Amino acid sequence: MTETAPPADDHAAPLVTAVAPAGADARTAWEAWREERRASVTAPTGNLALVETRPLARGEVPDPVAAGAGLPESVTVTVVERTEPVSGAPEHFLRFWDAEAPAIHSFERIDTFPYDPAWVLDAAYTPVEGARKVAFEHIRDNGGTRDLVVPGDITLTVDGAPYTLSAFDDDGTLLLVFGDPTNGDSTYGAGRFLFVPHETGSDRVTLDFNRAFVPPCGFSDQYNCPMPPRQNRLHLPVTAGEKLPVTKEPGTPAH
């Protein structure tokens, strides 16, 4: 099968129930979010299914149909377009997703901290006039950075320390890439992601760290995920949200 994917899909698509409905029991809504996360990462084009990201030569026209010819029916080929960070020229990639990838079959669960309402934090949101760009280092760029649009500042105090966080615009949704002392210990080493819902015109946002999640590169090394900039590194352990993917013990039957 072939399809064309939207550009810059090394971030993550928001889930339908990313925000608990008004009046809903928060813990029940969080459990539903966890189930959606599992369904998302194990989908035919979910994080675990990405088996290859193939760069194309400059000027080469992507042809996912030709690239997918003769491959198993379980394989989907998509096209990604990004901007080369040095020259600013467009660069194209073919991505190969396999619904029967070994990573899907060996996946058990995403280990997660228990739900903790103390990690649902209120913050101020101040929009930035014009398009301010912040440099984000990416895992596969060998120390290089890519400028991402940050439409506003998120300010709050955590454990007595003031922070001004930068959440970039990920196709119309605020995405916070943050780090904390749990990284590399109980959580993914390169940091975690958090979607930040924001109503147009509002000067407040809610950071529900119970919904912090492992970035796509925590499931496949074929992603090029952004890493937390200095201002997004918290000084205390964020003991909420997802920790790490867990694989099955050898010989465990699929379920």
Side-chain angles (χ1 to χ4, degrees), residues 88-169:
E91 53 182 1
H92 294 90
F93 301 81
L94 290 175
R95 279 195 161 155
F96 296 78
W97 316 76
D98 190 352
E100 299 295 334
I104 294 178
H105 288 289
S106 64
F107 176 74
E108 174 65 29
R109 69 183 187 279
I110 305 174
D111 201 11
T112 308
F113 289 104
Y115 180 82
D116 185 352
W119 278 108
V120 182
L121 306 179
D122 181 58
Y125 179 80
T126 306
V128 175
E129 293 296 329
R132 184 181 69 190
K133 294 186 176 181
V134 173
F136 282 78
E137 183 178 350
H138 284 60
I139 284 180
R140 296 168 65 91
D141 284 355
N142 298 316
T145 60
R146 296 173 185 260
D147 291 339
L148 302 177
V149 174
V150 174
D153 292 324
I154 298 172
T155 56
L156 74 164
T157 298
V158 182
D159 191 37
Y163 290 94
T164 299
L165 306 176
S166 297
F168 62 83
D169 183 348

Side-chain angles (χ1 to χ4, degrees), residues 7-183:
D9 62 344
D10 280 1
H11 308 151
L15 299 176
V16 175
T17 58
V19 184
D25 177 77
R27 190 180 301 271
T28 300
W30 176 73
E31 291 287 357
W33 172 81
R34 290 185 63 197
E35 290 300 317
E36 287 190 350
R37 276 286 292 160
R38 179 182 179 86
S40 174
V41 302
T42 58
T45 54
N47 295 162
L48 290 163
L50 184 59
V51 294
E52 182 183 359
T53 297
R54 182 183 302 173
L56 301 182
R58 183 172 296 183
E60 183 179 354
V61 178
D63 189 346
V65 175
L71 296 179
E73 190 65 26
S74 61
V75 175
T76 297
V77 184
T78 65
V79 177
V80 177
E81 178 180 335
R82 290 199 293 256
T83 300
E84 205 282 324
V86 176
S87 67
E91 53 182 1
H92 294 90
F93 301 81
L94 290 175
R95 279 195 161 155
F96 296 78
W97 316 76
D98 190 352
E100 299 295 334
I104 294 178
H105 288 289
S106 64
F107 176 74
E108 174 65 29
R109 69 183 187 279
I110 305 174
D111 201 11
T112 308
F113 289 104
Y115 180 82
D116 185 352
W119 278 108
V120 182
L121 306 179
D122 181 58
Y125 179 80
T126 306
V128 175
E129 293 296 329
R132 184 181 69 190
K133 294 186 176 181
V134 173
F136 282 78
E137 183 178 350
H138 284 60
I139 284 180
R140 296 168 65 91
D141 284 355
N142 298 316
T145 60
R146 296 173 185 260
D147 291 339
L148 302 177
V149 174
V150 174
D153 292 324
I154 298 172
T155 56
L156 74 164
T157 298
V158 182
D159 191 37
Y163 290 94
T164 299
L165 306 176
S166 297
F168 62 83
D169 183 348
D170 184 27
D171 197 23
T173 302
L174 292 179
L175 179 60
L176 178 66
V177 181
F178 74 95
D180 71 275
T182 68
N183 300 154

Side-chain angles (χ1 to χ4, degrees), residues 125 127 198-204:
Y125 179 80
H198 176 246
E199 294 183 8
T200 303
S202 175
D203 62 356
R204 310 300 297 180

